Short mmCIF file of all heavy atoms in Angstrom, two decimals:
data_model
loop_
_atom_site.label_atom_id
_atom_site.label_comp_id
_atom_site.label_asym_id
_atom_site.label_seq_id
_atom_site.Cartn_x
_atom_site.Cartn_y
_atom_site.Cartn_z
N ASN A 16 -4.33 -20.18 19.67
CA ASN A 16 -3.65 -19.79 18.45
C ASN A 16 -4.02 -18.35 18.06
O ASN A 16 -5.17 -17.94 18.23
CB ASN A 16 -4.00 -20.73 17.30
CG ASN A 16 -3.49 -22.14 17.53
OD1 ASN A 16 -2.56 -22.35 18.32
ND2 ASN A 16 -4.09 -23.10 16.86
N ILE A 17 -3.04 -17.64 17.51
CA ILE A 17 -3.23 -16.25 17.09
C ILE A 17 -2.93 -16.13 15.60
O ILE A 17 -1.91 -16.65 15.13
CB ILE A 17 -2.31 -15.30 17.88
CG1 ILE A 17 -2.59 -15.38 19.38
CG2 ILE A 17 -2.46 -13.86 17.38
CD1 ILE A 17 -1.62 -14.57 20.24
N VAL A 18 -3.81 -15.44 14.88
CA VAL A 18 -3.54 -15.05 13.50
C VAL A 18 -3.49 -13.53 13.45
O VAL A 18 -4.40 -12.85 13.91
CB VAL A 18 -4.62 -15.56 12.52
CG1 VAL A 18 -4.37 -15.00 11.11
CG2 VAL A 18 -4.63 -17.09 12.48
N VAL A 19 -2.38 -13.00 12.91
CA VAL A 19 -2.19 -11.56 12.79
C VAL A 19 -2.19 -11.21 11.30
O VAL A 19 -1.39 -11.74 10.54
CB VAL A 19 -0.87 -11.11 13.42
CG1 VAL A 19 -0.71 -9.58 13.30
CG2 VAL A 19 -0.79 -11.54 14.88
N LEU A 20 -3.07 -10.31 10.89
CA LEU A 20 -3.08 -9.77 9.53
C LEU A 20 -2.44 -8.40 9.56
O LEU A 20 -2.82 -7.55 10.37
CB LEU A 20 -4.51 -9.67 9.01
CG LEU A 20 -4.68 -8.93 7.67
CD1 LEU A 20 -4.08 -9.73 6.52
CD2 LEU A 20 -6.16 -8.63 7.40
N THR A 21 -1.46 -8.17 8.68
CA THR A 21 -0.85 -6.84 8.61
C THR A 21 -0.98 -6.24 7.22
O THR A 21 -1.01 -6.94 6.22
CB THR A 21 0.63 -6.86 9.01
OG1 THR A 21 1.39 -7.59 8.04
CG2 THR A 21 0.82 -7.46 10.39
N GLY A 22 -1.06 -4.91 7.21
CA GLY A 22 -1.11 -4.17 5.96
C GLY A 22 -0.05 -3.09 5.93
O GLY A 22 0.84 -3.03 6.79
N ALA A 23 -0.14 -2.20 4.96
CA ALA A 23 0.90 -1.21 4.71
C ALA A 23 1.14 -0.29 5.90
O ALA A 23 2.25 0.25 6.06
CB ALA A 23 0.54 -0.38 3.47
N GLY A 24 0.14 -0.12 6.76
CA GLY A 24 0.29 0.77 7.90
C GLY A 24 1.38 0.38 8.87
O GLY A 24 1.95 1.24 9.55
N ILE A 25 1.69 -0.92 8.94
CA ILE A 25 2.73 -1.34 9.88
C ILE A 25 4.12 -0.99 9.36
O ILE A 25 5.07 -0.86 10.14
CB ILE A 25 2.63 -2.86 10.18
CG1 ILE A 25 3.40 -3.19 11.48
CG2 ILE A 25 3.12 -3.70 9.02
CD1 ILE A 25 3.20 -4.60 11.98
N SER A 26 4.26 -0.82 8.06
CA SER A 26 5.57 -0.50 7.47
C SER A 26 5.77 0.98 7.20
O SER A 26 6.86 1.41 6.84
CB SER A 26 5.76 -1.29 6.16
OG SER A 26 5.83 -2.67 6.41
N LYS A 27 4.72 1.78 7.39
CA LYS A 27 4.82 3.20 7.07
C LYS A 27 5.91 3.88 7.89
O LYS A 27 6.66 4.72 7.37
CB LYS A 27 3.47 3.89 7.30
CG LYS A 27 3.45 5.36 6.88
CD LYS A 27 2.06 5.94 6.95
CE LYS A 27 2.06 7.38 6.45
NZ LYS A 27 0.70 7.97 6.45
N GLU A 28 6.03 3.51 9.17
CA GLU A 28 7.03 4.14 10.02
C GLU A 28 8.44 3.61 9.76
O GLU A 28 9.41 4.08 10.36
CB GLU A 28 6.64 3.96 11.49
CG GLU A 28 5.41 4.76 11.87
CD GLU A 28 4.92 4.43 13.27
OE1 GLU A 28 5.43 5.04 14.22
OE2 GLU A 28 4.05 3.55 13.40
N SER A 29 8.54 2.63 8.85
CA SER A 29 9.85 2.19 8.38
C SER A 29 10.29 2.93 7.14
O SER A 29 11.32 2.63 6.55
CB SER A 29 9.82 0.68 8.09
OG SER A 29 9.70 -0.06 9.28
N GLY A 30 9.46 3.89 6.69
CA GLY A 30 9.82 4.71 5.55
C GLY A 30 9.21 4.26 4.24
O GLY A 30 9.61 4.76 3.18
N LEU A 31 8.24 3.36 4.28
CA LEU A 31 7.61 2.88 3.05
C LEU A 31 6.23 3.50 2.88
O LEU A 31 5.47 3.63 3.84
CB LEU A 31 7.48 1.35 3.07
CG LEU A 31 8.81 0.58 3.06
CD1 LEU A 31 8.53 -0.92 3.10
CD2 LEU A 31 9.63 0.93 1.82
N ASP A 32 5.90 3.85 1.65
CA ASP A 32 4.60 4.44 1.36
C ASP A 32 3.48 3.44 1.57
O ASP A 32 3.61 2.25 1.27
CB ASP A 32 4.53 4.91 -0.10
CG ASP A 32 5.36 6.15 -0.34
OD1 ASP A 32 5.57 6.91 0.62
OD2 ASP A 32 5.79 6.36 -1.49
N THR A 33 2.35 3.93 2.10
CA THR A 33 1.11 3.16 2.04
C THR A 33 0.52 3.34 0.64
O THR A 33 1.04 4.07 -0.19
CB THR A 33 0.12 3.63 3.10
OG1 THR A 33 -0.15 5.02 2.87
CG2 THR A 33 0.69 3.45 4.50
N PHE A 34 -0.59 2.64 0.39
CA PHE A 34 -1.18 2.68 -0.94
C PHE A 34 -2.37 3.61 -1.03
O PHE A 34 -2.52 4.34 -1.99
CB PHE A 34 -1.60 1.26 -1.36
CG PHE A 34 -0.43 0.37 -1.63
CD1 PHE A 34 0.16 -0.34 -0.61
CD2 PHE A 34 0.09 0.24 -2.91
CE1 PHE A 34 1.25 -1.17 -0.85
CE2 PHE A 34 1.17 -0.57 -3.18
CZ PHE A 34 1.75 -1.28 -2.13
N ARG A 35 -3.24 3.60 -0.01
CA ARG A 35 -4.54 4.23 -0.15
C ARG A 35 -4.70 5.52 0.64
O ARG A 35 -5.76 6.10 0.65
CB ARG A 35 -5.63 3.22 0.23
CG ARG A 35 -5.66 2.05 -0.74
CD ARG A 35 -6.68 0.98 -0.37
NE ARG A 35 -6.58 -0.13 -1.31
CZ ARG A 35 -7.19 -0.18 -2.48
NH1 ARG A 35 -7.94 0.83 -2.88
NH2 ARG A 35 -7.05 -1.22 -3.27
N ASP A 36 -3.65 5.96 1.34
CA ASP A 36 -3.73 7.28 1.97
C ASP A 36 -3.85 8.35 0.89
O ASP A 36 -3.58 8.11 -0.29
CB ASP A 36 -2.47 7.55 2.80
CG ASP A 36 -2.46 6.75 4.10
OD1 ASP A 36 -3.49 6.15 4.44
OD2 ASP A 36 -1.40 6.71 4.76
N ALA A 37 -4.21 9.56 1.31
CA ALA A 37 -4.36 10.66 0.35
C ALA A 37 -3.08 10.90 -0.45
O ALA A 37 -3.13 11.27 -1.62
CB ALA A 37 -4.79 11.92 1.08
N ASP A 38 -1.93 10.69 0.21
CA ASP A 38 -0.65 10.87 -0.47
C ASP A 38 0.02 9.53 -0.77
O ASP A 38 1.23 9.46 -0.99
CB ASP A 38 0.29 11.73 0.37
CG ASP A 38 0.59 11.10 1.73
OD1 ASP A 38 -0.13 10.16 2.13
OD2 ASP A 38 1.55 11.56 2.39
N GLY A 39 -0.77 8.45 -0.78
CA GLY A 39 -0.23 7.11 -0.95
C GLY A 39 0.16 6.81 -2.39
O GLY A 39 -0.01 7.62 -3.31
N LEU A 40 0.68 5.60 -2.57
CA LEU A 40 1.25 5.21 -3.86
C LEU A 40 0.24 5.29 -4.99
O LEU A 40 0.56 5.73 -6.10
CB LEU A 40 1.80 3.79 -3.74
CG LEU A 40 2.79 3.32 -4.80
CD1 LEU A 40 3.99 4.23 -4.83
CD2 LEU A 40 3.21 1.89 -4.52
N TRP A 41 -1.01 4.89 -4.73
CA TRP A 41 -2.00 4.87 -5.81
C TRP A 41 -2.49 6.27 -6.18
O TRP A 41 -3.23 6.44 -7.15
CB TRP A 41 -3.19 3.99 -5.46
CG TRP A 41 -2.87 2.54 -5.29
CD1 TRP A 41 -3.43 1.67 -4.40
CD2 TRP A 41 -1.94 1.73 -6.05
NE1 TRP A 41 -2.89 0.41 -4.53
CE2 TRP A 41 -1.98 0.42 -5.52
CE3 TRP A 41 -1.05 2.02 -7.10
CZ2 TRP A 41 -1.19 -0.62 -6.03
CZ3 TRP A 41 -0.25 0.99 -7.60
CH2 TRP A 41 -0.33 -0.29 -7.08
N SER A 42 -2.09 7.29 -5.41
CA SER A 42 -2.42 8.67 -5.82
C SER A 42 -1.42 9.19 -6.83
O SER A 42 -1.64 10.22 -7.46
CB SER A 42 -2.44 9.59 -4.58
OG SER A 42 -1.13 9.80 -4.07
N ARG A 43 -0.30 8.47 -7.01
CA ARG A 43 0.76 8.95 -7.89
C ARG A 43 0.95 8.11 -9.15
O ARG A 43 1.58 8.57 -10.11
CB ARG A 43 2.08 9.01 -7.12
CG ARG A 43 2.01 9.88 -5.88
CD ARG A 43 3.38 10.20 -5.33
NE ARG A 43 4.12 9.02 -4.90
CZ ARG A 43 4.00 8.46 -3.70
NH1 ARG A 43 3.16 8.97 -2.81
NH2 ARG A 43 4.73 7.41 -3.38
N VAL A 44 0.44 6.88 -9.14
CA VAL A 44 0.52 6.02 -10.33
C VAL A 44 -0.84 5.40 -10.57
O VAL A 44 -1.66 5.30 -9.67
CB VAL A 44 1.59 4.91 -10.17
CG1 VAL A 44 2.97 5.51 -10.03
CG2 VAL A 44 1.26 4.00 -9.00
N ASN A 45 -1.07 4.98 -11.79
CA ASN A 45 -2.32 4.31 -12.15
C ASN A 45 -2.15 2.83 -11.91
O ASN A 45 -1.34 2.16 -12.55
CB ASN A 45 -2.63 4.60 -13.63
CG ASN A 45 -4.01 4.10 -14.02
OD1 ASN A 45 -4.54 3.17 -13.42
ND2 ASN A 45 -4.59 4.73 -15.03
N LEU A 46 -2.92 2.28 -10.96
CA LEU A 46 -2.73 0.88 -10.60
C LEU A 46 -3.00 -0.05 -11.78
O LEU A 46 -2.40 -1.13 -11.88
CB LEU A 46 -3.58 0.49 -9.38
CG LEU A 46 -5.11 0.49 -9.48
CD1 LEU A 46 -5.65 -0.82 -9.99
CD2 LEU A 46 -5.73 0.79 -8.12
N GLU A 47 -3.90 0.35 -12.70
CA GLU A 47 -4.17 -0.48 -13.87
C GLU A 47 -2.94 -0.60 -14.77
O GLU A 47 -2.79 -1.58 -15.50
CB GLU A 47 -5.34 0.08 -14.69
CG GLU A 47 -6.71 -0.16 -14.07
CD GLU A 47 -7.08 0.88 -13.04
OE1 GLU A 47 -6.28 1.84 -12.86
OE2 GLU A 47 -8.13 0.75 -12.38
N ASP A 48 -2.06 0.39 -14.69
CA ASP A 48 -0.85 0.37 -15.52
C ASP A 48 0.25 -0.50 -14.94
O ASP A 48 1.01 -1.13 -15.68
CB ASP A 48 -0.31 1.79 -15.72
CG ASP A 48 -1.19 2.63 -16.62
OD1 ASP A 48 -1.94 2.05 -17.45
OD2 ASP A 48 -1.16 3.88 -16.50
N VAL A 49 0.38 -0.52 -13.61
CA VAL A 49 1.55 -1.16 -13.00
C VAL A 49 1.22 -2.32 -12.08
O VAL A 49 2.14 -3.00 -11.60
CB VAL A 49 2.40 -0.13 -12.21
CG1 VAL A 49 2.92 0.96 -13.14
CG2 VAL A 49 1.63 0.46 -11.04
N ALA A 50 -0.04 -2.60 -11.84
CA ALA A 50 -0.38 -3.65 -10.87
C ALA A 50 -1.49 -4.57 -11.39
O ALA A 50 -2.32 -5.05 -10.62
CB ALA A 50 -0.79 -3.02 -9.53
N THR A 51 -1.50 -4.80 -12.70
CA THR A 51 -2.44 -5.76 -13.30
C THR A 51 -1.71 -6.56 -14.37
O THR A 51 -0.76 -6.06 -14.99
CB THR A 51 -3.64 -5.06 -13.96
OG1 THR A 51 -3.18 -4.25 -15.04
CG2 THR A 51 -4.40 -4.19 -12.96
N PRO A 52 -2.14 -7.80 -14.62
CA PRO A 52 -1.55 -8.56 -15.72
C PRO A 52 -1.71 -7.84 -17.07
O PRO A 52 -0.82 -7.91 -17.92
CB PRO A 52 -2.33 -9.88 -15.70
CG PRO A 52 -2.87 -9.99 -14.31
CD PRO A 52 -3.14 -8.58 -13.88
#
């Protein structure tokens, strides 16, 4: 059996931003504002 874990890096070449790169999504918005209850 195989378990594959994927993160934002697999979708970056599809044109979607990663989160934690220097130019990633969290460098442009405050995660406490948009990604917390």
